[in-house]
Amino acid sequence: MAKMSKLLSLVLTGTLAISLTACGGSKSDDGSTSSTGSSSNTSEKNITITFQNIYPDPTDPKNQLMNKLVKQYETDHPNIKIELDSLNTDQQKLKLKTQAASKEMPDITVVNPSAQMKPFVDAKLLAPLNDMLDQNGLKDTFQDGLLDWYSFDGNTYALPDGNNIAVVYYNKELFDQAGVKVPTTFEEMLDVVKTLKSKGIQPMAIGEKDSWTGSFLFMNMLLRTNNGPGFLQDVLDKKKTFEDPAFVEAVNAFESLVQAGAFQDGATSFDYNAGENLFKTGKAAMYFMGTWATGGIETSSVNGKVGVFKFPTINGKGNPDEFMLAPGSAFAISADSKHLEETKAFLNWFMMSFPKEAFEAKGAVGIGQKVDGDFKAAGYSDMAMEVLNLFKEVKGGDLAFDNTMNPATAQVHLTSIQNLFAQKKDAAEVAKEHQAAFEENNK
Amino acid sequence: MNVLKVSRLTIAAFVLPSLIIYIGIVFVPIIVSMYSGLLDWNGIGDPKFIGLENFKNLFFHDPVFWPAVKRTLMFAVFSMAEIPIALLVAILLKRYIRRPNFLVSSYFLPVILSVVIVGQLWKTIYNPASMGGMLNQVLEAIGLGSWTHSWLTDPSVAMYSLYFVALWQYLGYHTLIQYTGILNVPEEIYEAARIDGAEGFTADRYITFPNIIPIFKISIVLAFIGSLQSFDMIMVMTGGGPAHATDVISTHMYNMSFLSMKYGYGSSIATFLVILCLFATFLINLLFNKLEKRFS
């Protein structure tokens, strides 16, 4: 007995990585495999399309919208069944990787832009969607230039559901209580933090257990100290290194914010939702996040008290109209899909219907497609209008670190920034750490 | 074999199904995993065979690896150090409590709770006082305000906070095992010893302990192996952070395989872990064989 459990334990340890792959795999295999036949033939056959998505929350407008569209499509095409596989973002990322490793990808899945989806494209797992984009004029519904983040060598591989920018949300009531105004420079922002702190108000909230949150803020600072976008691209092109003064200055600025006590105690044990909840329950005065958070804040208890402002200049550098850009997660089609044509037809229809439905479900702030309609008249909140107006002022910007650099380098960066919350570190050393990781993983 | 009066073929026929399953779900994955440890592979694209390169990087160039190994071994040491305490609790229960079943069950309760629940519970307890953290609030209330810490986010204490939760959770488990062991020691031996004048802890030293060495060994092995593969609790509470301060071998393996997308590198860590477990089990067996000989 003892021996058995010992062995069992050993096995469990050694094969953890393997066993994780076992959770993958809902494959669509009913219906025959002939996607080569003429369309009139195939339309007679019963077909199941698996649709992996990241809208598991039934209270999320996007979940309702997806269910509605899927039901409608199934009614219109009785021979097609669409099987939903709704997962949280992190679970979906993991599941897709394991499915990809065993070449059992769902027909439709979700990928993230640029560097994050590149391994999938390189492994030829995604189907090019150029032909499908030309049908029904789908291509023109997307915002200009947005599809570039999902295109490699002239082929577009995924269709984004969102296009967001990073802003600072602030609680007007708490700002009034402390008698502070919206800062226009980083130095003023530090003063605001200190004043709020002295009045016993938590200045900023962050969910740094999910380390991308801190990185997102840091990258916005780098966008300022670098006096414009493109720092990471320059590093990739070997025109600059991480030991560049702009990077060091950004680290210093970031540390000064942490040292001023801007973030809640124990920030690194708060996950994304817990961090956001501090702001949404009125316990923190400022919250730096992508505009996708707008919907959630609107349905929280601080609705109506919240405004937004652009991240300010640092030491007079940078342009506040340049933002952290966050082209959203995007729908892609598996290259090995057994029903490639049908899947493309469905996704085409789905994306064509997406903007109108999202607009009606009040979920159209920050979607990746052009929307016809008067937001104000449709009953969108003042904060949503403010965010929409910021969109009009966007003059370029940068992508998040993990969308630009390969995953291994990105992990080192994320950990390095997370460490700044826990202990003060010399900026030059942080820069050196980044450079070493970059060189190690880009051989 | 002949004692069983069945042919070897019959034996083989009956053993075969489980043997196949066992090999299929135990040995094949280990071998596959060891092989992936020799690859430069992101888990998706085309793998490249690079021999022992991963291991070279792991042992000589990875700043996270050795500290993670150290933490894992510390974890094991703490877990094993807990067993004598569990034994003591079991002895006290047996001696002073007439119907200890209720107490034993209560001690055992944390074990059946899901690790996620335990993790979330302790996360809340460890929170800063301003966020409603119980531990810090209690410390402040009794005038030990200077002892408060951000238990999970201060790199110098975070790992110890995690050890403590694991010890808390599994104390009942080992107490139960030891307690059952003690119940199996025949009462007559104690009676005879009493006549000879051996009572209390003297009796424990010369009767209880030698009799439950096999049980003690089970506990030690379980504690050791269990702590080598501790993963879920750390993932729930800190995710290895802040900045690797609470990374152990298994979380490092996970991060490398799935977050950094170095699947081959992660597999080489898995291989190391398997070998470490085998080696440790071998060592523990050796030690206990000696111990058993000494006491019998």
Side-chain angles (χ1 to χ4, degrees):
Chain A
M1 187 56 208
K3 223 165 213 142
M4 194 57 206
S5 46
K6 259 183 296 170
L7 277 169
L8 204 67
S9 317
L10 282 179
V11 165
L12 288 177
T13 330
T15 59
L16 176 79
I18 305 283
S19 59
L20 279 170
T21 64
C23 66
S26 62
K27 216 171 78 177
S28 71
D29 45 13
D30 52 330
S32 73
T33 54
S34 73
S35 54
T36 46
S38 71
S39 61
S40 64
N41 263 338
T42 46
S43 68
E44 297 305 315
K45 290 192 178 114
N46 284 329
I47 283 170
T48 302
I49 296 174
T50 40
F51 185 4
Q52 193 171 69
N53 64 80
I54 49 170
Y55 308 143
D57 178 6
T59 62
D60 177 4
K62 283 186 177 149
N63 173 288
Q64 295 157 9
L65 174 163
M66 170 183 71
N67 279 324
K68 185 179 159 200
L69 286 177
V70 164
K71 199 163 274 170
Q72 194 180 332
Y73 197 78
E74 284 180 336
T75 319
D76 294 346
H77 303 79
N79 63 319
I80 291 182
K81 193 176 169 306
I82 292 159
E83 204 176 85
L84 294 174
D85 181 18
S86 308
L87 302 157
N88 285 331
T89 314
D90 287 348
Q91 288 167 354
Q92 189 270 338
K93 276 189 188 175
L94 191 58
K95 183 167 178 180
L96 182 64
K97 277 176 200 166
T98 52
Q99 285 176 325
S102 55
K103 305 249 184 249
E104 290 188 0
M105 300 239 296
D107 296 306
I108 301 179
T109 187
V110 177
V111 293
N112 287 287
S114 214
Q116 284 202 60
M117 67 185 282
K118 195 163 181 299
F120 293 92
V121 175
D122 288 346
K124 302 202 166 28
L125 290 166
L126 305 179
L129 303 176
N130 299 9
D131 52 342
M132 177 269 237
L133 272 166
D134 291 335
Q135 281 164 25
N136 306 326
L138 179 60
K139 193 169 194 168
D140 297 329
T141 69
F142 285 94
Q143 290 165 17
D144 299 331
L146 179 59
L147 289 176
D148 294 347
W149 304 115
Y150 308 88
S151 302
F152 299 83
D153 297 328
N155 288 322
T156 304
Y157 291 93
L159 309 176
D161 65 349
N163 185 23
N164 287 283
I165 54 173
V167 295
V168 186
Y169 295 92
Y170 71 102
N171 188 319
K172 292 177 182 165
E173 213 173 65
L174 294 178
F175 265 47
D176 285 347
Q177 257 179 48
V180 289
K181 286 199 311 251
V182 171
T184 53
T185 67
F186 184 67
E187 296 68 34
E188 282 179 32
M189 191 165 170
L190 282 177
D191 288 339
V192 167
V193 164
K194 283 169 192 158
T195 314
L196 284 164
K197 192 93 185 161
S198 68
K199 296 267 162 74
I201 299 168
Q202 178 58 50
M204 284 183 101
I206 195 163
E208 180 59 19
K209 187 180 179 224
D210 294 342
S211 48
W212 61 266
T213 52
S215 160
F216 203 40
L217 173 57
F218 170 79
M219 287 304 293
N220 206 146
M221 295 181 166
L222 181 60
L223 179 63
R224 297 286 178 267
T225 57
N226 189 46
N227 238 329
F231 181 84
L232 292 182
Q233 196 54 50
D234 286 346
V235 172
L236 282 171
D237 298 342
K238 316 257 161 149
K239 283 186 219 150
K240 279 181 186 165
T241 71
F242 280 106
E243 294 175 67
D244 192 88
F247 190 84
V248 175
E249 192 180 350
V251 175
N252 279 326
F254 192 81
E255 291 207 78
S256 64
L257 196 58
V258 174
Q259 297 302 323
F263 305 103
Q264 77 269 20
D265 286 337
T268 53
S269 68
F270 282 75
D271 62 20
Y272 172 73
N273 286 321
E276 186 163 298
N277 268 333
L278 285 180
F279 183 77
K280 289 204 283 198
T281 51
K283 286 190 189 128
M286 286 184 280
Y287 182 50
F288 176 87
M289 193 38 67
T291 45
W292 60 77
T294 305
I297 293 171
E298 271 180 338
T299 51
S300 74
S301 62
V302 291
N303 186 29
K305 301 175 201 162
V306 177
V308 289
F309 64 86
K310 307 168 191 173
F311 198 86
T313 57
I314 297 178
N315 299 333
K317 289 183 193 158
N319 179 354
D321 285 335
E322 286 162 357
F323 291 85
M324 286 307 292
L325 307 176
S329 50
F331 298 112
I333 295 179
S334 163
D336 299 324
S337 167
K338 286 177 180 158
H339 319 292
L340 200 53
E341 294 310 313
E342 291 82 355
T343 308
K344 277 183 180 172
F346 165 69
L347 190 59
N348 183 287
W349 178 82
F350 186 84
M351 292 314 289
M352 289 298 293
S353 320
F354 194 83
K356 188 170 155 286
E357 295 291 332
F359 179 71
E360 280 169 14
K362 292 227 179 68
V365 175
I367 70 166
Q369 287 159 291
K370 296 166 193 158
V371 181
D372 303 322
D374 184 348
F375 282 86
K376 189 90 195 160
Y380 279 77
S381 74
D382 287 346
M383 178 182 58
M385 294 310 297
E386 242 182 287
V387 171
L388 285 166
N389 285 331
L390 283 188
F391 276 117
K392 290 177 192 149
E393 292 165 32
V394 176
K395 296 203 173 56
D398 267 334
L399 289 195
F401 196 101
D402 53 1
N403 284 334
T404 318
M405 290 279 177
N406 64 27
T409 314
Q411 280 308 311
V412 173
H413 159 77
L414 292 173
T415 316
S416 178
I417 297 299
Q418 193 189 42
N419 192 21
L420 298 181
F421 284 86
Q423 52 200 150
K424 197 165 165 30
K425 216 172 163 189
D426 186 23
E429 215 172 298
V430 176
K432 205 171 270 171
E433 197 175 28
H434 276 76
Q435 187 61 23
F438 173 73
E439 282 164 14
E440 167 69 24
N441 291 301
N442 288 277
K443 281 190 254 186
Chain B
M1 279 296 174
N2 291 333
V3 188
L4 289 171
K5 285 188 181 150
V6 283
S7 70
R8 276 156 194 260
L9 199 69
T10 322
I11 295 177
F14 276 93
V15 168
L16 204 62
S18 9
L19 189 69
I20 290 176
I21 294 178
Y22 188 65
I23 288 178
I25 64 172
V26 174
F27 286 100
V28 172
I30 290 183
I31 303 294
V32 171
S33 186
M34 282 179 171
Y35 174 69
S36 339
L38 305 176
L39 302 174
D40 177 16
W41 189 31
N42 65 8
I44 299 174
D46 295 322
K48 198 175 98 199
F49 188 83
I50 52 166
L52 293 174
E53 188 76 14
N54 280 333
F55 289 93
K56 203 180 106 198
N57 285 336
L58 187 64
F59 294 146
F60 301 112
H61 301 298
D62 189 336
V64 184
F65 178 68
W66 288 114
V69 172
K70 191 186 128 211
R71 274 178 224 115
T72 309
L73 293 178
M74 288 275 283
F75 207 144
V77 169
F78 277 116
S79 306
M80 291 193 293
E82 184 192 30
I83 312 284
I85 300 171
L87 178 62
L88 184 69
V89 174
I91 289 176
L92 294 178
L93 279 174
K94 168 82 185 343
R95 186 172 307 151
Y96 294 114
I97 316 281
R98 194 162 299 168
R99 287 203 184 77
N101 284 359
F102 174 73
L103 272 183
V104 173
S105 318
S106 343
Y107 293 158
F108 194 70
L109 196 66
V111 182
I112 56 170
L113 285 179
S114 146
V115 179
V116 179
I117 296 173
V118 171
Q120 292 291 355
L121 176 76
W122 277 94
K123 229 168 102 172
T124 323
I125 293 177
Y126 282 145
N127 261 345
S130 56
M131 303 289 173
M134 192 177 85
L135 181 57
N136 282 336
Q137 280 181 346
V138 168
L139 283 176
E140 275 171 21
I142 58 173
L144 290 173
S146 59
W147 286 20
T148 55
H149 274 284
S150 19
W151 298 100
L152 286 177
T153 49
D154 179 345
S156 54
V157 294
M159 200 61 220
Y160 295 95
S161 309
L162 291 178
Y163 293 147
F164 181 78
V165 177
L167 298 188
W168 171 82
Q169 191 183 7
Y170 285 102
L171 181 68
Y173 185 58
H174 295 297
T175 304
L176 181 73
I177 296 178
Q178 306 297 322
Y179 180 69
T180 335
I182 293 175
L183 285 188
N184 280 332
V185 179
E187 198 59 37
E188 295 84 44
I189 305 183
Y190 289 107
E191 278 166 20
R194 202 168 299 137
I195 294 168
D196 289 342
E199 261 190 296
F201 286 108
T202 326
D204 290 327
R205 161 71 180 79
Y206 290 102
I207 300 169
T208 317
F209 188 63
N211 270 298
I212 63 159
I213 282 187
I215 308 285
F216 200 72
K217 186 173 120 183
I218 294 178
S219 264
I220 292 275
V221 171
L222 285 178
F224 190 88
I225 305 277
S227 45
L228 285 194
Q229 43 181 50
S230 55
F231 172 76
D232 35 14
M233 190 192 79
I234 295 173
M235 226 48 200
V236 170
M237 290 178 71
T238 63
H244 298 305
T246 58
D247 254 337
V248 292
I249 300 178
S250 55
T251 55
H252 188 43
M253 171 179 85
Y254 174 86
N255 287 339
M256 279 298 155
S257 307
F258 295 113
L259 297 180
S260 295
M261 289 185 82
K262 291 175 165 178
Y263 199 89
Y265 193 74
S267 298
S268 67
I269 301 179
T271 308
F272 175 83
L273 192 50
V274 170
I275 292 170
L276 183 68
C277 282
L278 280 173
F279 179 70
T281 315
F282 174 75
L283 207 69
I284 291 175
N285 268 325
L286 206 73
L287 268 170
F288 270 87
N289 285 344
K290 276 197 182 150
L291 208 63
E292 268 171 81
K293 265 188 205 134
R294 236 184 80 190
F295 278 97
S296 60

